[in-house]
Coordinates of all heavy atoms in Angstrom, one line a residue:
P39 N 52.4 -58.4 -54.7 CA 52.4 -57.1 -55.4 C 51.5 -57.1 -56.6 O 50.9 -56.1 -57.0 CB 53.8 -56.8 -55.8 CG 54.6 -57.6 -54.8 CD 53.8 -58.8 -54.5
G40 N 51.3 -58.3 -57.2 CA 50.5 -58.4 -58.4 C 49.1 -58.0 -58.3 O 48.4 -57.6 -59.2
R41 N 48.6 -58.0 -57.0 CA 47.2 -57.6 -56.8 C 46.9 -56.1 -57.1 O 45.8 -55.8 -57.4 CB 46.8 -57.9 -55.4 CG 47.4 -57.0 -54.3 CD 47.0 -57.5 -52.9 NE 47.6 -56.7 -51.8 CZ 48.8 -56.8 -51.4 NH1 49.7 -57.6 -52.0 NH2 49.2 -56.0 -50.4
W42 N 48.0 -55.3 -57.1 CA 47.8 -53.9 -57.5 C 47.7 -53.7 -59.0 O 47.4 -52.5 -59.4 CB 48.9 -53.1 -56.9 CG 49.1 -53.2 -55.4 CD1 50.1 -53.8 -54.7 CD2 48.1 -52.7 -54.4 NE1 49.8 -53.7 -53.4 CE2 48.7 -53.1 -53.1 CE3 46.9 -52.0 -54.5 CZ2 48.0 -52.8 -52.0 CZ3 46.3 -51.7 -53.3 CH2 46.8 -52.1 -52.0
T43 N 48.0 -54.7 -59.8 CA 48.0 -54.5 -61.2 C 46.7 -54.9 -61.9 O 46.4 -54.6 -63.0 CB 49.1 -55.3 -61.9 OG1 48.9 -56.7 -61.7 CG2 50.5 -54.9 -61.4
T44 N 45.8 -55.5 -61.1 CA 44.4 -55.9 -61.6 C 43.6 -54.6 -61.7 O 43.9 -53.6 -61.0 CB 43.7 -56.9 -60.8 OG1 43.5 -56.3 -59.5 CG2 44.6 -58.2 -60.6
E45 N 42.4 -54.6 -62.4 CA 41.5 -53.5 -62.5 C 41.1 -53.1 -61.1 O 41.1 -52.0 -60.7 CB 40.3 -53.8 -63.4 CG 40.3 -53.2 -64.8 CD 41.1 -51.9 -64.9 OE1 40.7 -50.9 -64.4 OE2 42.2 -51.9 -65.6
N46 N 40.7 -54.1 -60.3 CA 40.2 -53.9 -58.9 C 41.3 -53.3 -58.1 O 41.1 -52.4 -57.3 CB 39.6 -55.2 -58.4 CG 39.1 -55.0 -57.0 OD1 38.3 -54.0 -56.7 ND2 39.5 -55.8 -56.0
G47 N 42.5 -53.9 -58.3 CA 43.7 -53.5 -57.5 C 44.0 -52.0 -57.8 O 44.3 -51.2 -56.8
K48 N 43.9 -51.6 -59.1 CA 44.2 -50.2 -59.4 C 43.1 -49.3 -58.8 O 43.5 -48.2 -58.3 CB 44.2 -50.0 -60.9 CG 45.4 -50.6 -61.6 CD 45.3 -50.4 -63.1 CE 46.4 -51.2 -63.8 NZ 46.2 -51.4 -65.2
T49 N 41.9 -49.7 -58.8 CA 40.8 -48.9 -58.1 C 41.1 -48.8 -56.6 O 40.9 -47.7 -56.1 CB 39.4 -49.5 -58.4 OG1 39.3 -49.7 -59.8 CG2 38.3 -48.7 -57.9
C50 N 41.4 -49.9 -56.0 CA 41.7 -49.9 -54.5 C 42.8 -49.0 -54.2 O 42.8 -48.2 -53.2 CB 42.0 -51.3 -54.0 SG 40.5 -52.3 -53.9
L51 N 43.9 -49.0 -55.1 CA 45.1 -48.2 -54.8 C 44.7 -46.7 -54.8 O 45.2 -46.0 -54.0 CB 46.1 -48.5 -55.9 CG 47.5 -48.0 -55.7 CD1 48.1 -48.5 -54.4 CD2 48.4 -48.4 -56.9
R52 N 43.7 -46.4 -55.7 CA 43.3 -45.0 -55.8 C 42.3 -44.6 -54.7 O 42.3 -43.5 -54.2 CB 42.7 -44.7 -57.2 CG 43.5 -43.9 -58.1 CD 42.7 -43.5 -59.4 NE 41.7 -44.4 -59.8 CZ 41.9 -45.5 -60.6 NH1 43.1 -45.7 -61.2 NH2 40.9 -46.2 -61.0
E53 N 41.4 -45.5 -54.4 CA 40.2 -45.2 -53.6 C 40.2 -45.8 -52.2 O 39.5 -45.3 -51.3 CB 38.9 -45.6 -54.3 CG 38.8 -44.8 -55.6 CD 37.6 -45.2 -56.5 OE1 36.8 -46.1 -56.0 OE2 37.5 -44.8 -57.6
A54 N 40.9 -46.9 -52.0 CA 40.8 -47.5 -50.6 C 42.1 -47.3 -49.8 O 42.1 -47.3 -48.6 CB 40.6 -49.0 -50.8
F55 N 43.2 -47.1 -50.5 CA 44.5 -46.9 -49.8 C 44.8 -45.4 -49.8 O 45.2 -44.9 -50.8 CB 45.6 -47.7 -50.5 CG 47.0 -47.5 -49.9 CD1 47.2 -48.0 -48.6 CD2 48.0 -46.9 -50.6 CE1 48.5 -47.8 -48.0 CE2 49.3 -46.7 -50.0 CZ 49.5 -47.2 -48.7
I56 N 44.4 -44.7 -48.7 CA 44.5 -43.3 -48.7 C 45.2 -42.8 -47.5 O 44.7 -42.0 -46.7 CB 43.1 -42.6 -48.8 CG1 42.1 -43.2 -47.8 CG2 42.5 -42.7 -50.2 CD1 40.8 -42.5 -47.7
P57 N 46.5 -43.2 -47.3 CA 47.3 -42.7 -46.2 C 47.5 -41.2 -46.1 O 47.7 -40.7 -45.1 CB 48.6 -43.5 -46.3 CG 48.7 -43.7 -47.8 CD 47.3 -44.0 -48.2
F58 N 47.4 -40.6 -47.3 CA 47.6 -39.1 -47.3 C 46.3 -38.4 -47.5 O 46.3 -37.2 -47.9 CB 48.6 -38.8 -48.5 CG 50.0 -39.5 -48.3 CD1 50.3 -40.6 -49.0 CD2 50.9 -39.0 -47.4 CE1 51.5 -41.3 -48.9 CE2 52.1 -39.7 -47.2 CZ 52.4 -40.8 -47.9
S59 N 45.2 -39.1 -47.2 CA 43.9 -38.5 -47.4 C 43.7 -38.2 -48.9 O 44.4 -38.7 -49.7 CB 43.7 -37.2 -46.6 OG 42.4 -36.9 -46.6
T60 N 42.6 -37.5 -49.2 CA 42.3 -37.3 -50.6 C 41.4 -36.0 -50.7 O 41.0 -35.5 -49.7 CB 41.5 -38.5 -51.2 OG1 41.2 -38.4 -52.5 CG2 40.2 -38.7 -50.4
G61 N 41.2 -35.6 -51.9 CA 40.4 -34.4 -52.1 C 41.1 -33.1 -52.0 O 42.4 -33.1 -52.1
T62 N 40.4 -32.0 -51.6 CA 41.1 -30.7 -51.6 C 42.1 -30.5 -50.5 O 43.0 -29.7 -50.6 CB 40.0 -29.6 -51.4 OG1 39.2 -30.0 -50.3 CG2 39.1 -29.4 -52.7
R63 N 42.0 -31.3 -49.4 CA 43.0 -31.2 -48.3 C 44.0 -32.3 -48.3 O 44.6 -32.7 -47.3 CB 42.3 -31.1 -46.9 CG 41.3 -30.1 -46.8 CD 41.7 -28.7 -47.3 NE 42.8 -28.1 -46.6 CZ 42.7 -27.2 -45.7 NH1 41.5 -26.8 -45.3 NH2 43.8 -26.7 -45.1
V64 N 44.2 -32.9 -49.5 CA 45.2 -34.0 -49.6 C 46.5 -33.6 -49.2 O 46.9 -32.4 -49.3 CB 45.2 -34.6 -51.1 CG1 45.8 -33.5 -52.0 CG2 45.9 -35.9 -51.2
C65 N 47.3 -34.5 -48.6 CA 48.7 -34.2 -48.1 C 49.6 -33.6 -49.2 O 49.8 -34.3 -50.2 CB 49.3 -35.4 -47.5 SG 51.0 -35.2 -46.9
T66 N 50.1 -32.5 -49.1 CA 50.9 -31.9 -50.1 C 52.4 -32.5 -50.0 O 53.1 -32.3 -51.0 CB 51.0 -30.4 -49.9 OG1 51.4 -30.1 -48.6 CG2 49.7 -29.7 -50.2
G67 N 52.7 -33.2 -48.9 CA 54.0 -33.8 -48.8 C 54.0 -35.3 -49.2 O 55.1 -35.9 -49.0
A68 N 53.0 -35.8 -49.8 CA 52.9 -37.2 -50.1 C 54.0 -37.7 -51.0 O 54.6 -38.7 -50.6 CB 51.5 -37.5 -50.8
G69 N 54.3 -37.0 -52.0 CA 55.4 -37.4 -52.9 C 56.7 -37.4 -52.2 O 57.5 -38.4 -52.3
F70 N 57.0 -36.4 -51.4 CA 58.2 -36.3 -50.6 C 58.3 -37.5 -49.6 O 59.3 -38.1 -49.5 CB 58.3 -35.0 -49.9 CG 59.5 -34.8 -49.0 CD1 60.8 -34.6 -49.6 CD2 59.4 -34.9 -47.6 CE1 61.9 -34.5 -48.7 CE2 60.5 -34.8 -46.8 CZ 61.7 -34.6 -47.4
A71 N 57.2 -37.7 -48.9 CA 57.1 -38.7 -47.9 C 57.4 -40.1 -48.5 O 58.1 -41.0 -47.9 CB 55.8 -38.7 -47.2
M72 N 56.9 -40.4 -49.7 CA 57.1 -41.7 -50.4 C 58.6 -41.9 -50.8 O 59.0 -43.0 -51.1 CB 56.2 -41.8 -51.6 CG 54.7 -41.9 -51.1 SD 54.4 -43.3 -50.1 CE 54.4 -44.7 -51.2
V73 N 59.3 -40.8 -50.9 CA 60.8 -40.9 -51.2 C 61.5 -41.0 -49.8 O 62.4 -41.8 -49.7 CB 61.3 -39.7 -52.0 CG1 62.8 -39.8 -52.1 CG2 60.6 -39.7 -53.4
E74 N 61.1 -40.1 -48.9 CA 61.8 -40.0 -47.6 C 61.8 -41.3 -46.8 O 62.8 -41.8 -46.2 CB 61.2 -38.9 -46.8 CG 61.9 -38.6 -45.5 CD 61.1 -37.6 -44.7 OE1 59.8 -37.6 -44.8 OE2 61.7 -36.8 -43.9
G75 N 60.6 -41.9 -46.8 CA 60.4 -43.1 -46.0 C 61.3 -44.3 -46.4 O 62.1 -44.7 -45.5
P76 N 61.2 -44.7 -47.6 CA 62.1 -45.8 -48.0 C 63.6 -45.4 -47.9 O 64.4 -46.3 -47.6 CB 61.7 -46.0 -49.5 CG 60.3 -45.5 -49.6 CD 60.2 -44.4 -48.6
L77 N 63.9 -44.2 -48.1 CA 65.3 -43.7 -48.0 C 65.8 -43.9 -46.6 O 66.9 -44.4 -46.4 CB 65.5 -42.3 -48.5 CG 66.9 -41.7 -48.4 CD1 67.9 -42.4 -49.3 CD2 66.9 -40.2 -48.7
L78 N 65.0 -43.4 -45.6 CA 65.4 -43.6 -44.2 C 65.6 -45.0 -43.8 O 66.5 -45.4 -43.2 CB 64.4 -42.9 -43.3 CG 64.4 -41.4 -43.2 CD1 63.2 -40.9 -42.4 CD2 65.7 -41.0 -42.5
L79 N 64.6 -45.8 -44.3 CA 64.6 -47.3 -44.0 C 65.9 -47.9 -44.5 O 66.6 -48.7 -43.9 CB 63.3 -47.9 -44.5 CG 63.1 -49.4 -44.1 CD1 63.0 -49.5 -42.6 CD2 61.8 -49.9 -44.8
A80 N 66.2 -47.6 -45.8 CA 67.4 -48.1 -46.4 C 68.6 -47.7 -45.7 O 69.6 -48.6 -45.5 CB 67.5 -47.7 -47.9
M81 N 68.7 -46.5 -45.2 CA 69.9 -46.0 -44.4 C 70.0 -46.8 -43.1 O 71.1 -47.1 -42.7 CB 69.8 -44.5 -44.2 CG 70.0 -43.8 -45.5 SD 69.8 -42.0 -45.4 CE 71.4 -41.6 -44.6
L82 N 68.9 -47.0 -42.5 CA 68.9 -47.7 -41.2 C 69.3 -49.2 -41.3 O 70.2 -49.6 -40.6 CB 67.5 -47.6 -40.5 CG 67.2 -46.2 -39.9 CD1 65.7 -46.2 -39.5 CD2 68.1 -45.9 -38.7
V83 N 68.7 -49.9 -42.2 CA 68.9 -51.3 -42.3 C 70.3 -51.6 -42.9 O 70.8 -52.7 -42.9 CB 67.9 -52.1 -43.1 CG1 66.5 -52.0 -42.4 CG2 67.7 -51.6 -44.6
R84 N 70.9 -50.6 -43.5 CA 72.3 -50.8 -44.1 C 73.3 -51.0 -42.9 O 74.2 -51.7 -43.0 CB 72.7 -49.5 -44.9 CG 74.0 -49.7 -45.6 CD 74.2 -48.6 -46.5 NE 74.4 -47.4 -45.7 CZ 74.7 -46.2 -46.2 NH1 74.9 -46.1 -47.5 NH2 74.8 -45.1 -45.5
K85 N 73.1 -50.3 -41.8 CA 74.0 -50.3 -40.6 C 73.5 -51.2 -39.5 O 74.3 -51.6 -38.7 CB 74.2 -48.9 -40.1 CG 75.2 -48.1 -40.9 CD 75.8 -47.0 -40.1 CE 76.8 -46.2 -40.9 NZ 77.1 -44.9 -40.4
W86 N 72.2 -51.4 -39.4 CA 71.6 -52.0 -38.2 C 70.8 -53.2 -38.6 O 70.2 -53.2 -39.7 CB 70.8 -51.1 -37.4 CG 71.5 -49.8 -37.0 CD1 71.6 -48.6 -37.7 CD2 72.4 -49.6 -35.9 NE1 72.3 -47.7 -37.0 CE2 72.8 -48.3 -35.9 CE3 72.7 -50.4 -34.8 CZ2 73.7 -47.8 -34.9 CZ3 73.5 -49.9 -33.8 CH2 74.0 -48.6 -33.9
R87 N 70.7 -54.2 -37.7 CA 69.9 -55.4 -37.9 C 68.8 -55.3 -36.9 O 69.0 -55.1 -35.7 CB 70.7 -56.7 -37.7 CG 70.1 -57.9 -38.3 CD 71.1 -59.1 -38.0 NE 72.3 -59.0 -38.9 CZ 72.3 -59.5 -40.2 NH1 71.2 -60.0 -40.7 NH2 73.4 -59.4 -40.9
F88 N 67.6 -55.4 -37.4 CA 66.4 -55.3 -36.5 C 65.7 -56.7 -36.3 O 65.5 -57.4 -37.3 CB 65.4 -54.3 -37.0 CG 65.9 -52.9 -37.1 CD1 66.6 -52.5 -38.2 CD2 65.7 -52.0 -36.1 CE1 67.1 -51.2 -38.3 CE2 66.1 -50.7 -36.2 CZ 66.8 -50.3 -37.3
A89 N 65.4 -57.1 -35.1 CA 64.8 -58.4 -34.9 C 63.7 -58.2 -33.9 O 63.8 -57.4 -32.9 CB 65.8 -59.4 -34.4
A90 N 62.5 -58.9 -34.0 CA 61.4 -58.8 -33.1 C 61.8 -59.4 -31.8 O 62.6 -60.3 -31.7 CB 60.2 -59.5 -33.7
V91 N 61.4 -58.8 -30.7 CA 61.6 -59.3 -29.3 C 60.5 -60.4 -29.1 O 59.3 -60.1 -29.1 CB 61.5 -58.2 -28.3 CG1 61.6 -58.8 -26.9 CG2 62.6 -57.2 -28.5
P92 N 60.9 -61.7 -29.0 CA 59.9 -62.8 -29.0 C 58.8 -62.6 -27.9 O 57.7 -62.9 -28.1 CB 60.7 -64.0 -28.8 CG 62.1 -63.7 -29.2 CD 62.2 -62.2 -28.9
E93 N 59.3 -62.1 -26.7 CA 58.3 -62.0 -25.6 C 57.4 -60.9 -25.7 O 56.5 -60.7 -24.9 CB 59.0 -61.9 -24.2 CG 60.2 -62.8 -23.9 CD 61.5 -62.4 -24.6 OE1 61.9 -61.2 -24.3 OE2 62.0 -63.1 -25.4
R94 N 57.6 -60.0 -26.7 CA 56.8 -58.8 -26.9 C 56.2 -58.8 -28.3 O 56.4 -57.8 -29.0 CB 57.7 -57.6 -26.8 CG 58.3 -57.4 -25.4 CD 57.2 -56.7 -24.6 NE 57.8 -56.1 -23.3 CZ 57.1 -55.2 -22.6 NH1 56.0 -54.7 -23.0 NH2 57.7 -54.8 -21.5
V95 N 55.3 -59.7 -28.6 CA 54.7 -59.8 -29.9 C 53.7 -58.6 -30.0 O 52.9 -58.4 -29.1 CB 53.9 -61.1 -30.1 CG1 53.2 -61.1 -31.4 CG2 54.9 -62.3 -30.0
P96 N 53.8 -57.8 -31.0 CA 52.9 -56.6 -31.1 C 51.4 -57.0 -31.2 O 51.1 -58.0 -31.9 CB 53.3 -55.9 -32.4 CG 54.5 -56.6 -32.9 CD 54.7 -57.9 -32.2
V97 N 50.6 -56.3 -30.5 CA 49.1 -56.6 -30.5 C 48.5 -55.4 -31.3 O 48.5 -54.3 -30.9 CB 48.5 -56.6 -29.1 CG1 47.0 -56.8 -29.1 CG2 49.3 -57.6 -28.2
P98 N 47.9 -55.8 -32.5 CA 47.4 -54.7 -33.3 C 46.1 -54.1 -32.7 O 45.2 -54.9 -32.2 CB 47.1 -55.4 -34.7 CG 47.1 -56.8 -34.4 CD 47.8 -57.1 -33.1
V99 N 46.0 -52.8 -32.7 CA 44.8 -52.1 -32.2 C 44.4 -51.1 -33.3 O 45.2 -50.3 -33.8 CB 45.0 -51.3 -30.9 CG1 43.8 -50.7 -30.4 CG2 45.6 -52.3 -29.9
A100 N 43.1 -51.2 -33.7 CA 42.6 -50.3 -34.8 C 41.8 -49.1 -34.2 O 40.8 -49.3 -33.5 CB 41.7 -51.0 -35.8
Y101 N 42.4 -47.9 -34.4 CA 41.6 -46.7 -34.1 C 41.3 -46.1 -35.5 O 40.6 -46.7 -36.3 CB 42.4 -45.7 -33.2 CG 42.6 -46.3 -31.8 CD1 43.9 -46.6 -31.4 CD2 41.6 -46.4 -30.9 CE1 44.1 -47.2 -30.2 CE2 41.8 -46.9 -29.7 CZ 43.1 -47.3 -29.3 OH 43.3 -47.8 -28.0
L102 N 41.8 -44.9 -35.8 CA 41.7 -44.4 -37.1 C 42.7 -45.2 -38.0 O 42.4 -45.5 -39.2 CB 42.0 -42.9 -37.2 CG 41.8 -42.3 -38.5 CD1 40.4 -42.5 -39.1 CD2 42.2 -40.8 -38.5
T103 N 43.9 -45.5 -37.4 CA 44.9 -46.3 -38.1 C 45.2 -47.5 -37.2 O 44.8 -47.5 -36.1 CB 46.2 -45.5 -38.3 OG1 46.6 -45.0 -37.0 CG2 46.0 -44.3 -39.2
V104 N 45.9 -48.5 -37.8 CA 46.2 -49.7 -37.0 C 47.6 -49.4 -36.4 O 48.5 -49.0 -37.0 CB 46.3 -50.9 -37.9 CG1 46.7 -52.1 -37.0 CG2 45.0 -51.2 -38.5
R105 N 47.6 -49.6 -35.0 CA 48.9 -49.4 -34.3 C 49.1 -50.6 -33.4 O 48.2 -51.4 -33.2 CB 48.8 -48.2 -33.4 CG 48.7 -46.9 -34.1 CD 47.9 -45.9 -33.4 NE 47.6 -44.8 -34.3 CZ 48.1 -43.5 -34.2 NH1 48.8 -43.2 -33.1 NH2 47.8 -42.6 -35.1
A106 N 50.3 -50.7 -32.8 CA 50.6 -51.7 -31.8 C 50.2 -51.2 -30.5 O 50.6 -50.1 -30.1 CB 52.0 -52.1 -31.9
K107 N 49.5 -52.0 -29.7 CA 49.0 -51.6 -28.4 C 50.1 -51.1 -27.5 O 50.0 -50.0 -26.9 CB 48.3 -52.8 -27.7 CG 47.6 -52.5 -26.4 CD 46.6 -53.6 -26.1 CE 46.1 -53.4 -24.7 NZ 46.9 -54.1 -23.7
D108 N 51.2 -51.8 -27.3 CA 52.3 -51.4 -26.4 C 53.5 -51.1 -27.2 O 54.7 -51.3 -26.8 CB 52.6 -52.5 -25.4 CG 51.3 -52.7 -24.5 OD1 50.7 -51.8 -24.1 OD2 51.0 -53.9 -24.4
G109 N 53.4 -50.6 -28.4 CA 54.5 -50.3 -29.3 C 55.1 -51.5 -29.9 O 54.6 -52.6 -29.8
I110 N 56.1 -51.4 -30.7 CA 56.7 -52.5 -31.4 C 58.2 -52.6 -30.9 O 59.0 -51.7 -31.1 CB 56.7 -52.3 -33.0 CG1 55.3 -52.3 -33.4 CG2 57.5 -53.4 -33.6 CD1 55.1 -52.0 -34.9
W111 N 58.4 -53.7 -30.2 CA 59.7 -53.9 -29.5 C 60.7 -54.6 -30.5 O 60.4 -55.7 -31.0 CB 59.5 -54.7 -28.2 CG 58.8 -53.9 -27.2 CD1 57.5 -53.5 -27.2 CD2 59.4 -53.4 -25.9 NE1 57.3 -52.7 -26.1 CE2 58.4 -52.7 -25.3 CE3 60.7 -53.6 -25.4 CZ2 58.6 -52.1 -24.0 CZ3 60.9 -53.0 -24.1 CH2 59.8 -52.3 -23.5
L112 N 61.8 -54.0 -30.7 CA 62.8 -54.6 -31.6 C 64.2 -54.6 -30.9 O 64.5 -53.7 -30.1 CB 62.9 -53.7 -32.8 CG 61.7 -53.5 -33.7 CD1 61.9 -52.5 -34.8 CD2 61.3 -54.9 -34.3
E113 N 64.9 -55.7 -31.2 CA 66.3 -55.7 -30.8 C 67.1 -55.1 -32.0 O 67.0 -55.5 -33.1 CB 66.8 -57.2 -30.6 CG 66.6 -57.7 -29.3 CD 66.9 -59.2 -29.2 OE1 67.6 -59.7 -30.1 OE2 66.5 -59.8 -28.2
V114 N 68.0 -54.2 -31.6 CA 68.8 -53.5 -32.7 C 70.3 -53.8 -32.5 O 70.8 -53.6 -31.4 CB 68.6 -52.0 -32.6 CG1 69.3 -51.3 -33.7 CG2 67.1 -51.7 -32.7
R115 N 70.9 -54.4 -33.5 CA 72.3 -54.8 -33.4 C 73.0 -54.2 -34.7 O 72.5 -54.1 -35.8 CB 72.5 -56.3 -33.5 CG 71.9 -57.0 -32.3 CD 72.8 -58.1 -31.8 NE 72.3 -58.6 -30.5 CZ 71.6 -59.7 -30.4 NH1 71.3 -60.4 -31.5 NH2 71.2 -60.1 -29.2
R116 N 74.2 -53.7 -34.4 CA 75.0 -53.2 -35.5 C 75.4 -54.4 -36.5 O 75.7 -55.5 -36.0 CB 76.3 -52.6 -34.9 CG 77.1 -51.8 -36.0 CD 78.3 -51.1 -35.3 NE 77.9 -49.9 -34.7 CZ 77.8 -48.7 -35.4 NH1 77.9 -48.7 -36.7 NH2 77.5 -47.6 -34.7
R117 N 75.4 -54.2 -37.7 CA 75.7 -55.2 -38.7 C 77.2 -55.5 -38.7 O 78.0 -54.6 -38.5 CB 75.3 -54.8 -40.1 CG 73.8 -54.9 -40.3 CD 73.5 -54.6 -41.8 NE 72.1 -54.7 -42.0 CZ 71.4 -55.9 -42.2 NH1 72.1 -57.0 -42.4 NH2 70.1 -55.9 -42.3
Ligands
LIG841 C1 54.2 -40.7 -44.1 C2 54.2 -39.4 -44.0 C3 52.9 -38.6 -44.1 C4 51.6 -39.0 -44.0 C5 51.0 -40.4 -43.7 C6 50.8 -37.8 -44.1 C7 49.4 -37.7 -44.1 C8 48.6 -36.6 -44.2 C9 47.2 -36.5 -44.1 C10 46.3 -37.7 -43.9 C11 46.8 -35.2 -44.3 C12 45.4 -34.7 -44.3 C13 45.0 -34.2 -43.0 C14 43.6 -33.6 -42.9 O1 42.8 -33.9 -43.8 O2 43.3 -32.9 -41.9 C15 48.0 -34.5 -44.5 C16 48.0 -33.1 -44.8 C17 49.2 -32.4 -45.0 N1 50.4 -32.8 -45.1 FE1 51.0 -34.8 -44.8 N2 51.6 -36.7 -44.4 C18 52.9 -37.1 -44.4 C19 54.0 -36.4 -44.6 C20 54.1 -35.1 -45.0 C21 55.3 -34.3 -45.3 C22 56.7 -34.9 -45.4 C23 54.9 -33.0 -45.5 C24 55.7 -31.8 -45.9 C25 56.9 -31.9 -46.4 C26 53.4 -33.0 -45.3 C27 52.6 -31.8 -45.5 C28 51.3 -31.8 -45.3 C29 50.5 -30.5 -45.4 C30 51.0 -29.1 -45.7 C31 49.2 -30.9 -45.2 C32 47.9 -30.0 -45.2 C33 47.3 -29.9 -46.6 C34 46.1 -29.0 -46.6 O3 45.3 -29.1 -45.7 O4 45.9 -28.3 -47.5 N3 53.0 -34.2 -45.0 N4 49.1 -35.3 -44.5

């Protein structure tokens, strides 16, 4: 995380990391999404344990964004 506190890191955070786009058509829900995402994740991992399926290692594929070629396979167990 320390890399985001350097001068270069701060510039990258503003100019290179743009999941919500930038400029006049920037995502108006960005602030909400940054609260909603971690909240949902916290609620899920509180009740469930997620583990990677060893035979199904995700293969990253880059289009506009990076995704897993055949999805991300997880074993889900109740805590
Ligand atoms: C992780 C979640 C989200 C991501 C990654 C995301 C990403 C984006 C991106 C990249 C754009 C620009 C699209 C373009 O230039 O054509 C956009 C636009 C927009 N987003 Fe999101 N978004 C997210 C969640 C949300 C949420 C939760 C809301 C509403 C509550 C929202 C409302 C909007 C609206 C209204 C626009 C259009 C803004 C405009 O064109 O003036 N987004 N979003």
